[in-house]
Amino acid sequence: MFSFRRFAAVVVKEFVQMRRDRLTFAMMVGIPIVQLVLFGFAINSDPKSLPTALLSNDNSAFSRSLVRAMENTGYFRIVAVVQNESAVRRMLRTGEVQFAVTIPTDFSRDVQRGMRPSVLVEADATDPAATSNAIGALRELQSLALRHDLSGPLVALRAGPPPFEIVIHRAYNPEGITQYNIVPALIGVILTMTMIIMTALAVTREIERGTMENLLSMPVRPAEVLLGKILPYSFVGAIQVAIVMIAARLIFDVPFVGNLWLFGAIVIVFVVTNLALGLMFSTVARNQLQAMQMAIFFFLPSILLSGFMFPYRGMPAWAQLLGEVLPLTHFLRITRGILLKGAEWRDIAPEVWPLLAFLAVVLMVALRRYRQTLD
C-alpha cells in the first residue's frame, strides 16, 4: 500500500543529495539561464553594421550620397577607406571586413550622362547567412540612393532605369553554398565535443576505478602524466579530422584552396588545446558525471557564440567578447580562411596566439589542480 510517509522520506532524501552535489545543482540552474540569455539576447540571424571597406575612385557628391545611403540601410558600416585593390583583397581574406565597395573613376560624370556606371560590391560569402540580407538591401539602393541628387536638369534621369548599377561579387563562395561554410566548421565542432569529453573523464575515471593510487605511486611528474594522457587522444583527433576532410572533399565537393600543411599544424594546436581543457575539467570535477556536465556546459556557448550556427557579427558586443575567449571561434576563422580563402600564415597569425594563450592557461590550471589532487 502506498505510504505518503515513505514517499516524503524519499523526496527529502533526494533534496539532501541535490544540496550536497552543488555542482550538479548549479548546472541544472545555470544551463537554462545560459540558454535563455544566449537565445534571447545574443543570437541574431539578421546581422547589421557589417564592417565594410571603401575604395572610392570618384570624390564627388554622388559617390558620397551612395556611401551615405548604404550606411543608412543599417547593414553596412564603413570601417576603412583604402587606396588600392590589393588592400581590399587582403582585408577580405583576413576577415577584417565583410564587404568591400569599389566606386569607379568618373562615377559622377557617367551618372550625369546617363551611362549607368557599375559599382562593385564584394562580399565575403564564406558564411552566406551573414551576407544574404545585406545583399538584398542593395537591390533597392540603386533606385533610391541618388534620388535627391537628381534635380534640376538631371530630374529626367529619375524616370528611367536606376542611374547606376550595383554588381555583387560573392567572394570565396560565389554560389552561396551552405555546405562550404558548415562542413569545414564541423571539424572544429567535432573536435571540441569529443576531445574535451575524452580527457574530462581521464582523471576522474582513475579515481572511481581506484587506480589513482597506483598512478600516484609511479615515479612520474604531473606534467608527464598529463601529457601522457593527451598524446593518445591526439591521434584520435587526427583520424577524425582526416575522415571529415575526406568526406568534405569527396561527398560535399568543398574546395580546399589553402596550404593543408599549415592547416594540419593549426589542427594539432587546437586538438591539444581541447584535450588540455578536458584534463583541467577532469582535475576539478569529483566524479565522471560532474566532468561530463562541465564539458557540456562549455560546449553550449562554444556552439552558439563561435559563429558556427549564427552569424558572429550579428551578436552584441558583450556576446562577441565572450566568443573571443572560446577556442572554437578562432579555429573556425582559421579553417574558413585557409580552406576557402587560401589564407597564409600572416593572415591567420592574429587568430593563432589566442589559441596558444588559452592552451597555456588551461595547462597551468590543470597542473596546479593535479598537484592538489596528489596532496
Side-chain angles (χ1 to χ4, degrees), residues 147-177:
R147 191 169 185 80
H148 294 289
D149 296 286
L150 299 176
S151 58
L154 300 178
V155 73
L157 294 176
R158 292 184 182 181
F164 66 92
E165 181 182 11
I166 292 180
V167 177
I168 300 170
H169 177 210
R170 292 179 172 86
Y172 313 119
N173 186 8
E175 298 177 2
I177 300 174

PDB file of all heavy atoms in Angstrom, residues 147-177:
ATOM      1  N   ARG A 147      18.395  59.709 -55.561  1.00  0.00           N
ATOM      2  CA  ARG A 147      17.130  60.335 -55.963  1.00  0.00           C
ATOM      3  C   ARG A 147      17.119  61.835 -55.657  1.00  0.00           C
ATOM      4  O   ARG A 147      16.654  62.643 -56.469  1.00  0.00           O
ATOM      5  CB  ARG A 147      15.960  59.642 -55.261  1.00  0.00           C
ATOM      6  CG  ARG A 147      14.606  60.042 -55.820  1.00  0.00           C
ATOM      7  CD  ARG A 147      13.500  59.153 -55.299  1.00  0.00           C
ATOM      8  NE  ARG A 147      12.226  59.475 -55.923  1.00  0.00           N
ATOM      9  CZ  ARG A 147      11.867  59.072 -57.125  1.00  0.00           C
ATOM     10  NH1 ARG A 147      12.691  58.327 -57.840  1.00  0.00           N
ATOM     11  NH2 ARG A 147      10.700  59.418 -57.644  1.00  0.00           N
ATOM     12  N   HIS A 148      17.631  62.221 -54.496  1.00  0.00           N
ATOM     13  CA  HIS A 148      17.612  63.641 -54.128  1.00  0.00           C
ATOM     14  C   HIS A 148      18.680  64.437 -54.882  1.00  0.00           C
ATOM     15  O   HIS A 148      18.575  65.654 -54.988  1.00  0.00           O
ATOM     16  CB  HIS A 148      17.815  63.792 -52.618  1.00  0.00           C
ATOM     17  CG  HIS A 148      16.687  63.226 -51.821  1.00  0.00           C
ATOM     18  ND1 HIS A 148      15.435  63.812 -51.781  1.00  0.00           N
ATOM     19  CD2 HIS A 148      16.588  62.122 -51.041  1.00  0.00           C
ATOM     20  CE1 HIS A 148      14.632  63.101 -51.009  1.00  0.00           C
ATOM     21  NE2 HIS A 148      15.308  62.062 -50.547  1.00  0.00           N
ATOM     22  N   ASP A 149      19.691  63.775 -55.402  1.00  0.00           N
ATOM     23  CA  ASP A 149      20.739  64.477 -56.148  1.00  0.00           C
ATOM     24  C   ASP A 149      20.346  64.715 -57.604  1.00  0.00           C
ATOM     25  O   ASP A 149      20.919  65.575 -58.262  1.00  0.00           O
ATOM     26  CB  ASP A 149      22.043  63.662 -56.106  1.00  0.00           C
ATOM     27  CG  ASP A 149      22.589  63.541 -54.701  1.00  0.00           C
ATOM     28  OD1 ASP A 149      23.121  64.531 -54.193  1.00  0.00           O
ATOM     29  OD2 ASP A 149      22.443  62.458 -54.097  1.00  0.00           O
ATOM     30  N   LEU A 150      19.414  63.938 -58.089  1.00  0.00           N
ATOM     31  CA  LEU A 150      18.975  64.099 -59.482  1.00  0.00           C
ATOM     32  C   LEU A 150      17.891  65.163 -59.534  1.00  0.00           C
ATOM     33  O   LEU A 150      16.695  64.873 -59.574  1.00  0.00           O
ATOM     34  CB  LEU A 150      18.471  62.764 -60.037  1.00  0.00           C
ATOM     35  CG  LEU A 150      19.501  61.631 -60.064  1.00  0.00           C
ATOM     36  CD1 LEU A 150      18.874  60.343 -60.547  1.00  0.00           C
ATOM     37  CD2 LEU A 150      20.696  62.019 -60.918  1.00  0.00           C
ATOM     38  N   SER A 151      18.315  66.396 -59.541  1.00  0.00           N
ATOM     39  CA  SER A 151      17.371  67.518 -59.568  1.00  0.00           C
ATOM     40  C   SER A 151      17.779  68.483 -60.684  1.00  0.00           C
ATOM     41  O   SER A 151      18.841  68.336 -61.309  1.00  0.00           O
ATOM     42  CB  SER A 151      17.359  68.248 -58.224  1.00  0.00           C
ATOM     43  OG  SER A 151      18.664  68.709 -57.914  1.00  0.00           O
ATOM     44  N   GLY A 152      16.949  69.487 -60.926  1.00  0.00           N
ATOM     45  CA  GLY A 152      17.243  70.469 -61.985  1.00  0.00           C
ATOM     46  C   GLY A 152      17.296  69.787 -63.336  1.00  0.00           C
ATOM     47  O   GLY A 152      16.379  69.017 -63.697  1.00  0.00           O
ATOM     48  N   PRO A 153      18.368  70.007 -64.086  1.00  0.00           N
ATOM     49  CA  PRO A 153      18.457  69.409 -65.428  1.00  0.00           C
ATOM     50  C   PRO A 153      18.588  67.888 -65.417  1.00  0.00           C
ATOM     51  O   PRO A 153      18.417  67.243 -66.448  1.00  0.00           O
ATOM     52  CB  PRO A 153      19.728  70.050 -66.004  1.00  0.00           C
ATOM     53  CG  PRO A 153      20.515  70.515 -64.833  1.00  0.00           C
ATOM     54  CD  PRO A 153      19.519  70.895 -63.786  1.00  0.00           C
ATOM     55  N   LEU A 154      18.892  67.305 -64.242  1.00  0.00           N
ATOM     56  CA  LEU A 154      19.054  65.848 -64.159  1.00  0.00           C
ATOM     57  C   LEU A 154      17.781  65.132 -63.732  1.00  0.00           C
ATOM     58  O   LEU A 154      17.777  63.902 -63.602  1.00  0.00           O
ATOM     59  CB  LEU A 154      20.174  65.506 -63.164  1.00  0.00           C
ATOM     60  CG  LEU A 154      21.569  66.056 -63.474  1.00  0.00           C
ATOM     61  CD1 LEU A 154      22.547  65.673 -62.364  1.00  0.00           C
ATOM     62  CD2 LEU A 154      22.070  65.527 -64.815  1.00  0.00           C
ATOM     63  N   VAL A 155      16.693  65.891 -63.513  1.00  0.00           N
ATOM     64  CA  VAL A 155      15.479  65.272 -62.984  1.00  0.00           C
ATOM     65  C   VAL A 155      14.903  64.238 -63.939  1.00  0.00           C
ATOM     66  O   VAL A 155      14.210  63.286 -63.513  1.00  0.00           O
ATOM     67  CB  VAL A 155      14.431  66.379 -62.657  1.00  0.00           C
ATOM     68  CG1 VAL A 155      13.835  66.950 -63.948  1.00  0.00           C
ATOM     69  CG2 VAL A 155      13.336  65.819 -61.742  1.00  0.00           C
ATOM     70  N   ALA A 156      15.184  64.346 -65.224  1.00  0.00           N
ATOM     71  CA  ALA A 156      14.654  63.384 -66.198  1.00  0.00           C
ATOM     72  C   ALA A 156      15.219  61.981 -65.953  1.00  0.00           C
ATOM     73  O   ALA A 156      14.591  60.978 -66.333  1.00  0.00           O
ATOM     74  CB  ALA A 156      14.988  63.845 -67.622  1.00  0.00           C
ATOM     75  N   LEU A 157      16.405  61.888 -65.296  1.00  0.00           N
ATOM     76  CA  LEU A 157      17.008  60.568 -65.043  1.00  0.00           C
ATOM     77  C   LEU A 157      16.216  59.759 -64.020  1.00  0.00           C
ATOM     78  O   LEU A 157      16.380  58.540 -63.938  1.00  0.00           O
ATOM     79  CB  LEU A 157      18.451  60.750 -64.548  1.00  0.00           C
ATOM     80  CG  LEU A 157      19.446  61.349 -65.554  1.00  0.00           C
ATOM     81  CD1 LEU A 157      20.800  61.576 -64.902  1.00  0.00           C
ATOM     82  CD2 LEU A 157      19.582  60.433 -66.770  1.00  0.00           C
ATOM     83  N   ARG A 158      15.371  60.440 -63.250  1.00  0.00           N
ATOM     84  CA  ARG A 158      14.571  59.709 -62.254  1.00  0.00           C
ATOM     85  C   ARG A 158      13.575  58.753 -62.906  1.00  0.00           C
ATOM     86  O   ARG A 158      13.233  57.703 -62.359  1.00  0.00           O
ATOM     87  CB  ARG A 158      13.792  60.686 -61.373  1.00  0.00           C
ATOM     88  CG  ARG A 158      14.640  61.531 -60.453  1.00  0.00           C
ATOM     89  CD  ARG A 158      13.725  62.376 -59.579  1.00  0.00           C
ATOM     90  NE  ARG A 158      14.459  63.260 -58.678  1.00  0.00           N
ATOM     91  CZ  ARG A 158      13.881  64.075 -57.817  1.00  0.00           C
ATOM     92  NH1 ARG A 158      12.543  64.151 -57.754  1.00  0.00           N
ATOM     93  NH2 ARG A 158      14.605  64.831 -57.021  1.00  0.00           N
ATOM     94  N   ALA A 159      13.080  59.162 -64.077  1.00  0.00           N
ATOM     95  CA  ALA A 159      12.019  58.378 -64.714  1.00  0.00           C
ATOM     96  C   ALA A 159      12.545  57.104 -65.368  1.00  0.00           C
ATOM     97  O   ALA A 159      11.793  56.144 -65.560  1.00  0.00           O
ATOM     98  CB  ALA A 159      11.298  59.249 -65.755  1.00  0.00           C
ATOM     99  N   GLY A 160      13.817  57.071 -65.723  1.00  0.00           N
ATOM    100  CA  GLY A 160      14.368  55.918 -66.428  1.00  0.00           C
ATOM    101  C   GLY A 160      14.820  54.825 -65.485  1.00  0.00           C
ATOM    102  O   GLY A 160      14.408  54.776 -64.316  1.00  0.00           O
ATOM    103  N   PRO A 161      15.660  53.947 -65.968  1.00  0.00           N
ATOM    104  CA  PRO A 161      16.220  52.891 -65.105  1.00  0.00           C
ATOM    105  C   PRO A 161      17.126  53.505 -64.045  1.00  0.00           C
ATOM    106  O   PRO A 161      17.493  54.688 -64.127  1.00  0.00           O
ATOM    107  CB  PRO A 161      17.014  52.033 -66.103  1.00  0.00           C
ATOM    108  CG  PRO A 161      17.314  52.940 -67.248  1.00  0.00           C
ATOM    109  CD  PRO A 161      16.152  53.872 -67.346  1.00  0.00           C
ATOM    110  N   PRO A 162      17.506  52.753 -63.034  1.00  0.00           N
ATOM    111  CA  PRO A 162      18.395  53.290 -61.984  1.00  0.00           C
ATOM    112  C   PRO A 162      19.639  53.931 -62.584  1.00  0.00           C
ATOM    113  O   PRO A 162      20.193  53.414 -63.567  1.00  0.00           O
ATOM    114  CB  PRO A 162      18.746  52.048 -61.161  1.00  0.00           C
ATOM    115  CG  PRO A 162      17.598  51.121 -61.374  1.00  0.00           C
ATOM    116  CD  PRO A 162      17.131  51.356 -62.775  1.00  0.00           C
ATOM    117  N   PRO A 163      20.098  55.080 -62.019  1.00  0.00           N
ATOM    118  CA  PRO A 163      21.227  55.817 -62.621  1.00  0.00           C
ATOM    119  C   PRO A 163      22.564  55.088 -62.564  1.00  0.00           C
ATOM    120  O   PRO A 163      23.511  55.492 -63.219  1.00  0.00           O
ATOM    121  CB  PRO A 163      21.263  57.108 -61.788  1.00  0.00           C
ATOM    122  CG  PRO A 163      20.637  56.744 -60.498  1.00  0.00           C
ATOM    123  CD  PRO A 163      19.574  55.734 -60.823  1.00  0.00           C
ATOM    124  N   PHE A 164      22.664  54.060 -61.755  1.00  0.00           N
ATOM    125  CA  PHE A 164      23.900  53.258 -61.714  1.00  0.00           C
ATOM    126  C   PHE A 164      23.524  51.820 -61.419  1.00  0.00           C
ATOM    127  O   PHE A 164      22.390  51.509 -61.031  1.00  0.00           O
ATOM    128  CB  PHE A 164      24.881  53.810 -60.671  1.00  0.00           C
ATOM    129  CG  PHE A 164      24.382  53.689 -59.261  1.00  0.00           C
ATOM    130  CD1 PHE A 164      24.694  52.579 -58.494  1.00  0.00           C
ATOM    131  CD2 PHE A 164      23.585  54.690 -58.702  1.00  0.00           C
ATOM    132  CE1 PHE A 164      24.227  52.461 -57.194  1.00  0.00           C
ATOM    133  CE2 PHE A 164      23.123  54.579 -57.408  1.00  0.00           C
ATOM    134  CZ  PHE A 164      23.441  53.463 -56.654  1.00  0.00           C
ATOM    135  N   GLU A 165      24.495  50.958 -61.601  1.00  0.00           N
ATOM    136  CA  GLU A 165      24.252  49.524 -61.405  1.00  0.00           C
ATOM    137  C   GLU A 165      25.180  49.003 -60.311  1.00  0.00           C
ATOM    138  O   GLU A 165      26.357  49.382 -60.267  1.00  0.00           O
ATOM    139  CB  GLU A 165      24.509  48.767 -62.700  1.00  0.00           C
ATOM    140  CG  GLU A 165      24.251  47.277 -62.607  1.00  0.00           C
ATOM    141  CD  GLU A 165      24.580  46.554 -63.910  1.00  0.00           C
ATOM    142  OE1 GLU A 165      25.189  47.181 -64.793  1.00  0.00           O
ATOM    143  OE2 GLU A 165      24.239  45.371 -64.010  1.00  0.00           O
ATOM    144  N   ILE A 166      24.642  48.164 -59.441  1.00  0.00           N
ATOM    145  CA  ILE A 166      25.471  47.532 -58.413  1.00  0.00           C
ATOM    146  C   ILE A 166      25.768  46.101 -58.835  1.00  0.00           C
ATOM    147  O   ILE A 166      24.845  45.300 -59.036  1.00  0.00           O
ATOM    148  CB  ILE A 166      24.773  47.560 -57.040  1.00  0.00           C
ATOM    149  CG1 ILE A 166      24.671  48.985 -56.514  1.00  0.00           C
ATOM    150  CG2 ILE A 166      25.547  46.695 -56.036  1.00  0.00           C
ATOM    151  CD1 ILE A 166      23.996  49.108 -55.172  1.00  0.00           C
ATOM    152  N   VAL A 167      27.037  45.803 -58.997  1.00  0.00           N
ATOM    153  CA  VAL A 167      27.485  44.454 -59.359  1.00  0.00           C
ATOM    154  C   VAL A 167      27.970  43.769 -58.081  1.00  0.00           C
ATOM    155  O   VAL A 167      28.881  44.273 -57.420  1.00  0.00           O
ATOM    156  CB  VAL A 167      28.615  44.502 -60.396  1.00  0.00           C
ATOM    157  CG1 VAL A 167      29.105  43.097 -60.709  1.00  0.00           C
ATOM    158  CG2 VAL A 167      28.139  45.206 -61.652  1.00  0.00           C
ATOM    159  N   ILE A 168      27.356  42.667 -57.745  1.00  0.00           N
ATOM    160  CA  ILE A 168      27.683  41.958 -56.496  1.00  0.00           C
ATOM    161  C   ILE A 168      28.553  40.750 -56.816  1.00  0.00           C
ATOM    162  O   ILE A 168      28.207  39.936 -57.680  1.00  0.00           O
ATOM    163  CB  ILE A 168      26.409  41.503 -55.770  1.00  0.00           C
ATOM    164  CG1 ILE A 168      25.553  42.728 -55.427  1.00  0.00           C
ATOM    165  CG2 ILE A 168      26.743  40.710 -54.510  1.00  0.00           C
ATOM    166  CD1 ILE A 168      24.179  42.386 -54.928  1.00  0.00           C
ATOM    167  N   HIS A 169      29.669  40.666 -56.129  1.00  0.00           N
ATOM    168  CA  HIS A 169      30.585  39.535 -56.297  1.00  0.00           C
ATOM    169  C   HIS A 169      30.699  38.806 -54.966  1.00  0.00           C
ATOM    170  O   HIS A 169      31.224  39.354 -53.996  1.00  0.00           O
ATOM    171  CB  HIS A 169      31.956  40.031 -56.762  1.00  0.00           C
ATOM    172  CG  HIS A 169      32.963  38.934 -56.889  1.00  0.00           C
ATOM    173  ND1 HIS A 169      34.317  39.109 -56.701  1.00  0.00           N
ATOM    174  CD2 HIS A 169      32.811  37.613 -57.172  1.00  0.00           C
ATOM    175  CE1 HIS A 169      34.936  37.960 -56.850  1.00  0.00           C
ATOM    176  NE2 HIS A 169      34.047  37.042 -57.135  1.00  0.00           N
ATOM    177  N   ARG A 170      30.186  37.599 -54.930  1.00  0.00           N
ATOM    178  CA  ARG A 170      30.299  36.789 -53.702  1.00  0.00           C
ATOM    179  C   ARG A 170      31.649  36.075 -53.708  1.00  0.00           C
ATOM    180  O   ARG A 170      31.812  35.056 -54.382  1.00  0.00           O
ATOM    181  CB  ARG A 170      29.158  35.772 -53.623  1.00  0.00           C
ATOM    182  CG  ARG A 170      27.782  36.389 -53.421  1.00  0.00           C
ATOM    183  CD  ARG A 170      26.727  35.288 -53.373  1.00  0.00           C
ATOM    184  NE  ARG A 170      25.418  35.799 -53.007  1.00  0.00           N
ATOM    185  CZ  ARG A 170      24.552  36.299 -53.856  1.00  0.00           C
ATOM    186  NH1 ARG A 170      24.861  36.370 -55.142  1.00  0.00           N
ATOM    187  NH2 ARG A 170      23.370  36.734 -53.452  1.00  0.00           N
ATOM    188  N   ALA A 171      32.599  36.621 -52.990  1.00  0.00           N
ATOM    189  CA  ALA A 171      33.953  36.064 -52.989  1.00  0.00           C
ATOM    190  C   ALA A 171      34.010  34.775 -52.171  1.00  0.00           C
ATOM    191  O   ALA A 171      33.326  34.633 -51.153  1.00  0.00           O
ATOM    192  CB  ALA A 171      34.930  37.085 -52.409  1.00  0.00           C
ATOM    193  N   TYR A 172      34.825  33.830 -52.622  1.00  0.00           N
ATOM    194  CA  TYR A 172      35.146  32.565 -51.949  1.00  0.00           C
ATOM    195  C   TYR A 172      33.991  31.560 -51.952  1.00  0.00           C
ATOM    196  O   TYR A 172      34.204  30.399 -51.624  1.00  0.00           O
ATOM    197  CB  TYR A 172      35.578  32.802 -50.495  1.00  0.00           C
ATOM    198  CG  TYR A 172      36.594  33.897 -50.347  1.00  0.00           C
ATOM    199  CD1 TYR A 172      36.308  35.021 -49.592  1.00  0.00           C
ATOM    200  CD2 TYR A 172      37.821  33.824 -50.985  1.00  0.00           C
ATOM    201  CE1 TYR A 172      37.230  36.048 -49.456  1.00  0.00           C
ATOM    202  CE2 TYR A 172      38.753  34.846 -50.862  1.00  0.00           C
ATOM    203  CZ  TYR A 172      38.442  35.952 -50.091  1.00  0.00           C
ATOM    204  OH  TYR A 172      39.347  36.962 -49.961  1.00  0.00           O
ATOM    205  N   ASN A 173      32.797  31.991 -52.259  1.00  0.00           N
ATOM    206  CA  ASN A 173      31.651  31.077 -52.311  1.00  0.00           C
ATOM    207  C   ASN A 173      30.611  31.695 -53.243  1.00  0.00           C
ATOM    208  O   ASN A 173      29.556  32.138 -52.798  1.00  0.00           O
ATOM    209  CB  ASN A 173      31.087  30.851 -50.904  1.00  0.00           C
ATOM    210  CG  ASN A 173      29.990  29.793 -50.870  1.00  0.00           C
ATOM    211  OD1 ASN A 173      29.729  29.109 -51.861  1.00  0.00           O
ATOM    212  ND2 ASN A 173      29.342  29.673 -49.732  1.00  0.00           N
ATOM    213  N   PRO A 174      30.912  31.750 -54.543  1.00  0.00           N
ATOM    214  CA  PRO A 174      30.074  32.508 -55.479  1.00  0.00           C
ATOM    215  C   PRO A 174      28.622  32.051 -55.526  1.00  0.00           C
ATOM    216  O   PRO A 174      27.721  32.852 -55.753  1.00  0.00           O
ATOM    217  CB  PRO A 174      30.763  32.293 -56.835  1.00  0.00           C
ATOM    218  CG  PRO A 174      32.056  31.656 -56.559  1.00  0.00           C
ATOM    219  CD  PRO A 174      32.044  31.130 -55.180  1.00  0.00           C
ATOM    220  N   GLU A 175      28.396  30.759 -55.321  1.00  0.00           N
ATOM    221  CA  GLU A 175      27.030  30.236 -55.421  1.00  0.00           C
ATOM    222  C   GLU A 175      26.309  30.232 -54.077  1.00  0.00           C
ATOM    223  O   GLU A 175      25.164  29.800 -53.992  1.00  0.00           O
ATOM    224  CB  GLU A 175      27.069  28.816 -55.993  1.00  0.00           C
ATOM    225  CG  GLU A 175      27.659  28.760 -57.408  1.00  0.00           C
ATOM    226  CD  GLU A 175      27.751  27.352 -57.933  1.00  0.00           C
ATOM    227  OE1 GLU A 175      27.312  26.429 -57.213  1.00  0.00           O
ATOM    228  OE2 GLU A 175      28.262  27.159 -59.039  1.00  0.00           O
ATOM    229  N   GLY A 176      26.982  30.697 -53.035  1.00  0.00           N
ATOM    230  CA  GLY A 176      26.336  30.757 -51.719  1.00  0.00           C
ATOM    231  C   GLY A 176      25.967  29.397 -51.166  1.00  0.00           C
ATOM    232  O   GLY A 176      24.916  29.238 -50.531  1.00  0.00           O
ATOM    233  N   ILE A 177      26.820  28.396 -51.409  1.00  0.00           N
ATOM    234  CA  ILE A 177      26.528  27.024 -50.961  1.00  0.00           C
ATOM    235  C   ILE A 177      26.767  26.913 -49.454  1.00  0.00           C
ATOM    236  O   ILE A 177      27.875  27.186 -48.971  1.00  0.00           O
ATOM    237  CB  ILE A 177      27.404  26.015 -51.723  1.00  0.00           C
ATOM    238  CG1 ILE A 177      27.110  26.126 -53.226  1.00  0.00           C
ATOM    239  CG2 ILE A 177      27.176  24.606 -51.222  1.00  0.00           C
ATOM    240  CD1 ILE A 177      28.017  25.274 -54.083  1.00  0.00           C
TER     241      ILE A 177
END
